[in-house]
Each structure stands twice: as C-alpha cells, then as structure tokens.
Amino acid sequence: MAARRRGPFASVKITDVATEAGVAPMTVSRVLNTPERVSETTAARVREAIEKLGYVPNMIAGGLSSRRSRMIAAIVPTIASPMFSEPVQSFTDAMHRAGYHVLLGLSGYTPGTEDGLIRAVLTRRPDGLLLTGAAHSPEVKRLLRDAGVPVVEIWDASDTPTDMLVGFDHAEIGAKVADFFLARGHRRFAVLTAGDPRARLRRRGFIDRIEARGGVLVAERILPAPSGIRDGRTALQAIADQIPPRTALFCGSDLVAFGAVTQARALGIAVPETLAVCGFGDFELAQASEPPITSVGVDGTAMGRQAAENLLARLAGGSAPRRILIPAGIRERATT
C-alpha cells in the first residue's frame, strides 16, 4: 500500500509502518526491540517501510514496556587520539552488527565531568555501558549499581571492576619499558607523560623498576592531558640541558614521543645515540615517522571487540568473564 503523504511535521506512527510493511504493529515493535525473534525477510520489509516513511521510534517509551532501548552508551576521554578511537570503533561495529546503537560521550580529563555525563546517559535508559577506566567516584558507583545494567570497563586492570573489565596493566607496561631500556645498557632515564591517572600508573611502574635496578631518573615533565606533539617539543626543550649521553626517554604517548624526537633533532641531540625514545600506543605516526619510533602496542581493536562480546553475552542473559587482560608488546624501531 502506498504511504499517505504527510506534512513536514506530521508524526509517523508505528501503525503506519505496520500498514506499509503489511505486518502487525507488534511485528514492527519486535524488529525494533528483539530482531532475533523476526525472520530476516520480514525484518527487511519492516526496515524498508521505516526508511520510506521516515519513522523515528520513541525508544524511551518503548523501553518502558520492553525494558530494552537497543542503545549502548560509551564514554571515553577523547576520540582525538587513536588510543581511544580504535577500541571505540571496534566496539561500535560489533554492537551495530548485533542490532544496537552506540551513543558516544566524551568525558575529557576534568574531574567530575564523568559523573555528570554518566548521570545524563542513564536517564536515556541504555541497555549497557562502556566506560574508560575502573576508577569512579562513590556517587557514580552507586548510580551504576542502582541502574541495574551491565557495565564493561576498558583501558584498565583493576582487580575490582564495577562489573566486567577488558584492559591491561599500565604499571606493568611502565616496568616493561624500563626492562627494555635496562637490557640495552641504559642507566639514565627521563619521562615525559600526561598527568591523567592511567598515564601516572605507567610512569610509576617505569620509575619503580629503574630505581629498583639502580637506574637514575635525570629529568621528567608532567604534561596536560591530553598531550600532543607540541607538548612533546616544549617538554624536550625544557629538559634538554639535563640530558647526558645515553639517556633513555619514556613518553606517555606516541604524539609526545614524536614531538620529543622532532625537537631533539632540531637541537642537534642524536637519536638514539644520545637520547633513546619509546612512546606508547603504536600509532601510525610512530611507524611512519623518520626515524620510526619505538612504541608500546596495545591491540585496541581486540579490546573493543572483546568488550562488545562480553556485553552482548550479558544482554542475552548469559555470563561473561569478570576480568580479561589484553597483552601489550614493545615494537622496537630506530629510536632505540
């Protein structure tokens, strides 16, 4: 049946979609909320009618009866860096294939911002949450507990996650980088890193290991989060006079490392002969720069995919592992 023409502000109802697709309104509701209960042929016909009529379902109202909004909220500090955009993209792709939409929220690095954002998204009745890190305020933990929705945290290694966790141990990564430098004979070290909690954990793991092995920290700078190439250049300029020959520098991200290497070359500091540099993230920038930058690689795609699998298992009424750690490895290149 041909669709009746409507004014630009007329509301298309679920009954209109049902008439257009030749199905019952309940079938349209099932396609929106529980598509696994409808044949693919029927679902395709309903989706075609939805697109043709421009129907926008009231998922909030629908959720009141079905308790399913088919929406997942994902909250990360930023998407300006591949550090977070890679797992978010992988997670979103997997949830979309399962019939869920992902609402993205950016919390930044300002204390308290995450609290308000989580409170706001919970009013939208999401079916689940993806959060960055496992350190939350007592108020947020109470909100999450009372919401009664599955939560998966990424980019952390807490032994006491809110619900489920897929991440890695930041302190252990710092220690691995220290071991990498120590094995190559370095005894003097420097650190350029952002001041956010996870970057500080990597810094702490790095410094604890070099001090335990008799190394000396000759210079460090704590940078604003998120830190970029310019921050790396400025910070390297500030510590240039403190760098003796054969210093090993650990940077909190590949962007900072690229800035540091660029500034070192501008100052005539030989890399890696005088200054060896390791970044974090294994971004394309690190691989394609000249010289290519040694970096710590974490499989963000695998992290996002695993987070989605865990969340989907819980949404389907099953169980999922409480804590999964993704391996990280050092990709050695010309700067070390």
Side-chain angles (χ1 to χ4, degrees), residues 229-269:
I229 294 171
R230 181 176 298 176
D231 297 302
R233 294 198 67 164
T234 302
L236 196 283
Q237 177 72 46
I239 67 170
D241 293 341
Q242 305 170 48
I243 298 175
R246 292 284 294 162
T247 295
L249 172 64
F250 181 32
C251 295
S253 77
D254 286 345
L255 296 177
V256 172
F258 181 84
V261 170
T262 301
Q263 190 63 23
R265 295 179 70 182
L267 295 173
I269 299 174

Side-chain angles (χ1 to χ4, degrees), residues 4-316:
R4 183 161 51 92
R5 292 182 63 84
R6 299 173 177 273
F9 300 106
S11 175
V12 179
K13 298 179 176 62
I14 195 170
T15 51
D16 299 320
V17 175
T19 300
E20 177 70 26
V23 299
M26 179 59 72
T27 302
V28 178
S29 178
R30 285 175 178 162
V31 170
L32 294 170
N33 296 295
T34 54
E36 66 277 4
R37 298 177 59 188
V38 184
S39 73
E40 186 53 45
T41 300
T42 300
R45 196 161 72 246
V46 170
R47 293 190 188 105
E48 183 179 350
I50 288 172
E51 183 175 353
K52 180 177 181 179
L53 297 179
Y55 175 60
V56 179
N58 185 342
M59 300 307 286
I60 300 299
L64 295 176
S65 58
S66 70
R67 299 191 62 81
R68 283 294 178 91
S69 65
R70 308 300 297 184
M71 186 266 284
I72 304 296
I75 298 178
V76 297
T78 177
I79 56 170
S81 164
M83 199 174 294
F84 297 113
S85 60
E86 194 173 274
V88 166
Q89 185 65 62
S90 175
F91 175 82
T92 301
D93 290 344
M95 296 307 299
H96 181 72
R97 287 193 294 270
Y100 288 87
H101 298 284
V102 175
L103 175 69
L104 181 62
L106 304 181
S107 61
Y109 292 91
T110 303
T113 303
E114 183 191 57
D115 294 36
L117 189 53
I118 289 176
R119 187 178 294 105
V121 300
L122 286 176
T123 66
R124 308 298 296 176
R125 301 178 61 86
D127 288 341
L129 290 174
L130 174 111
L131 302 177
T132 304
H136 311 293
S137 70
E139 174 66 12
V140 161
K141 290 181 179 180
R142 184 190 65 78
L143 285 172
L144 295 173
R145 182 181 64 251
D146 293 347
V149 298
V151 176
V152 59
E153 293 159 325
I154 62 170
W155 218 257
D156 210 332
S158 172
D159 291 328
T160 56
T162 300
D163 187 2
M164 300 171 284
L165 179 144
V166 181
F168 58 94
D169 191 322
H170 292 267
E172 182 180 294
I173 281 178
K176 279 186 176 182
V177 175
D179 287 339
F180 172 82
F181 281 137
L182 288 161
R184 283 151 183 78
H186 291 283
R187 291 297 177 267
R188 292 179 289 271
F189 303 88
V191 177
L192 302 178
T193 188
D196 65 274
R198 290 172 292 276
R200 285 185 178 273
L201 283 174
R202 295 194 294 273
R203 168 192 173 274
R204 187 73 264 161
F206 180 77
I207 292 176
D208 285 351
R209 183 58 59 87
I210 64 173
E211 290 180 344
R213 297 276 300 276
V216 178
L217 184 69
V218 299
E220 76 166 313
R221 283 289 186 278
I222 303 299
L223 312 175
S227 303
I229 294 171
R230 181 176 298 176
D231 297 302
R233 294 198 67 164
T234 302
L236 196 283
Q237 177 72 46
I239 67 170
D241 293 341
Q242 305 170 48
I243 298 175
R246 292 284 294 162
T247 295
L249 172 64
F250 181 32
C251 295
S253 77
D254 286 345
L255 296 177
V256 172
F258 181 84
V261 170
T262 301
Q263 190 63 23
R265 295 179 70 182
L267 295 173
I269 299 174
V271 177
E273 293 79 10
T274 298
L275 182 68
V277 180
C278 179
F280 173 76
D282 197 29
F283 304 163
E284 183 180 6
L285 175 69
Q287 302 169 35
S289 68
E290 182 54 46
I293 299 171
T294 295
S295 182
V296 181
V298 178
D299 193 340
T301 298
M303 188 186 308
R305 183 172 58 247
Q306 185 64 61
E309 290 177 4
N310 287 9
L311 198 56
L312 288 168
R314 289 284 300 282
L315 290 168

